[in-house]
Amino acid sequence: MIEYMITSTLRMGTPIALTALGGIMSERSGVVNIGLEGVMLASAFGAVVGSNLTGSPWMGILFAVAIGIVISAIHSVISVTWGGNQSVSSMALVLLATGLSGVGLKAVFNQQGSSPQVANLPNSPIFKDIPVVGEFLSSLSPFVYIAFIALGIVYYVFKYTPLGLRITTVGENPKAAETAGISVAKTRYMCVICSGILAGLGGAFLSIGPMNLFQEGMVAGRGYLALGAVTMGKWSPLGAFGAAMLFGFFEAVQLYVQTIPNNPIPSEFIQMIPYIASLVIMATTMNKSLNTGIASSGKPYTKFVQQR
Amino acid sequence: MIKNKKVQEIGLNFIISLVALVMAIVVGGIIIAVLGTNPFEAYGALLKGAFGTPMATTVTLTKSVPLILTGLAVALAFKCTVFNIGAEGQLLVGAMAAAIVGAYVELPAILHIPLVLLSAIVAGMLWAFLPAVLKQKRNVHVVISTIMFNYIAQYFVQYLILGPFKTTEGAAAQTNTIHQTAMLPKLLPKPYVLNLGIIIAIVAIFVVYILLNKTSMGYEMRAVGLNRNAAYANGINVDKNMFLALLLSGALAGLAGGIEVTGSLNKIVNGFSPGYGFTGIPVALMARNNPFAILFTALLMGTMRSGSLMMQSSVGVSKNMVDVIQGLIIVFLCSEYVIRYYIKKRRSQGGLV
């Protein structure tokens, strides 16, 4: 039971955690990226296409990451160069991703609603020979390890490197950053594209991780949950990762409750659990006086917009 | 002079929207061409599907009605800098409330129709109330909470349709048909579908316009939207106004659901809304939050939705292409500052525009 819950939590939490790390990258540089939901969706589709074309799920991941880069590049053009409203631009990404994956399903597979089955990523057999924990470790998807590695990298970058400091400066006070010779635009472009890569990995996990096909609407708000995790984790990589895994836990609970025979609770209410839980947790952890977030988050810094 | 400036601003907004629309259609056309279809044929099929016959035209108009209202809902909140992505959820619960009151209450039509629409409005408002409270009391981001409430509404309505309010007339996943007394009168003889809903939507446009521009409440909301700090400094309660804006926005989205049920569907089928609430966002953005312009942008988006099926069946381009085009419209609308910048630059160099 405990092992089942741990495995299940890791499985449900990993895509949210990867995307939440992406959210951290983007938000810490001062760019709101609600479009991560769209990035996940498009990448989930890209992963299936890549796996289908090449027969290799690893190529599928590469496709997913490439799509993540393209979609987030659009977002960075809008929000960094053009100075457009970042929440609004993010909505455009979600619409674009919904549309393109639907159009793509018809164009590539000539199907609607879902794709045919493709080769998916096997679990991690390389850990098989480790005593005691080998069986458990090898039963996890490689994505789980990728997520933890990503956490390590993001944590290290923000904690110990000049680059992390630069990103933070750009997010908090772009004018000061520019005065110090840091290119605000370049830093933000880099961060938004990194967030696209991470959310792309998260999306790929959804379609070619434990599953082996793409379905319309399969992201089901996980991109938004990831952003909730970023806020709850107070913009720290560890906090956001932890919050994402908490959401993963609630999804695992939801899945578990559904398998209980003769359960009196209607399944619709069980399916609401992750969303309600995220609202309740946000409502209890947020505080009006604290937690102001990133100072220049959502504020464009470009010649096209008058600086106040 | 002031009048002149206002006209100039409206003209500029019009140019920005037009540029965005044209760019989106061009890029959409390129995507269609890459997929191996003649884009002119595809767009032709879309227009034919929307306006090819008098019947199709009335269907298109009817499909635009909820978009007018969700567009107004999003625009009203936007005027006060609240981004209400939750219109979809508010529409769903509004429609559900209308379906319940329409089917389970018996009254003469003169009372029944207003009661049904009122219950839809209240339900939509209630669904917006919760995120509004979460924002005011606990500072939970409205964008994220309204999205969560969309999902909750979707499952909640699904539960009601499959559970307590499942139809007693058959096995389908839907509610009972509402009473005749709750149905909106038709404006045209059968088989045309146009109903009173379009008139209500147009009235709503005027109401929102008057509310925003001729009342002190609307003045405060716009002041908050224009400059929060200045509004605060002048004694306007910023939180209260944002709270109100979200509630009113929910009311309009709920009304959209109510009209969809009383006017067109007469019951709720699982998954009945093709994303009316979400489409309200491009409708409002393209109209630059101007209530009167929403009439036209809603019609535009309604045309795309209505014609997309024909495009799919006759030239084989997925109906999801419409989502792509709407996404592109928003993308290009975000270049607003760039367009303004160059127009200003040309003006200052003595050029005309």
Side-chain angles (χ1 to χ4, degrees), chain A residues 83 112 221 224 283 286 288, chain B residues 35 138 147 151 239 312 334 337:
Chain A
Q112 269 187 351
Y224 303 128
M286 300 291 277
K288 206 152 190 188
Chain B
L35 295 175
R138 306 300 310 172
I147 287 171
Y151 287 101
D239 282 349
Q312 177 160 315
C334 287
Y337 293 118

Side-chain angles (χ1 to χ4, degrees), chain A residues 34 37 74 78 82-85 87-89 91-92 95-96 98-100 102-103 106-107 112 216 220-221 224-225 227-228 231 266 268-269 271-272 275-276 278-279 282-284 286-288 291 303-305 308, chain B residues 31 35 78 83 85 134-140 143-145 147-149 151-152 155-156 158-159 162 226 239 278 281-282 285 312 316 318-321 323-324 326-328 330-332 334-335 337-338 341-342:
Chain A
I34 302 167
E37 171 90 2
I74 299 176
I78 299 171
W82 293 354
N85 181 324
S87 297
V88 171
S89 141
M91 267 318 285
L95 267 172
L96 270 180
T98 313
L100 285 175
V103 171
K106 186 102 177 23
Q112 269 187 351
E216 266 178 23
Y224 303 128
L225 285 176
L227 286 170
T231 344
E268 286 88 3
F269 286 103
Q271 281 168 303
M272 284 179 203
Y275 309 110
I276 294 181
S278 72
L279 280 172
M282 268 188 271
T284 44
M286 300 291 277
N287 187 314
K288 206 152 190 188
N291 209 341
K303 67 172 177 177
F304 298 120
V305 183
R308 284 208 178 111
Chain B
I31 296 175
L35 295 175
F78 245 131
F83 191 14
I85 304 189
L134 283 176
K135 169 71 193 170
Q136 199 171 29
K137 300 279 177 219
R138 306 300 310 172
N139 204 20
V140 178
V143 169
I144 294 184
S145 63
I147 287 171
M148 297 301 157
F149 274 103
Y151 287 101
I152 297 171
Y155 286 119
F156 183 57
Q158 188 181 324
Y159 161 74
L162 300 177
L226 286 172
D239 282 349
F278 294 118
I281 298 166
L285 290 173
Q312 177 160 315
S318 163
K319 65 180 191 313
N320 289 91
M321 197 60 216
D323 291 316
V324 177
Q326 290 181 354
L328 288 169
I330 306 183
V331 166
F332 291 117
C334 287
S335 69
Y337 293 118
V338 182
Y341 178 83
Y342 284 112

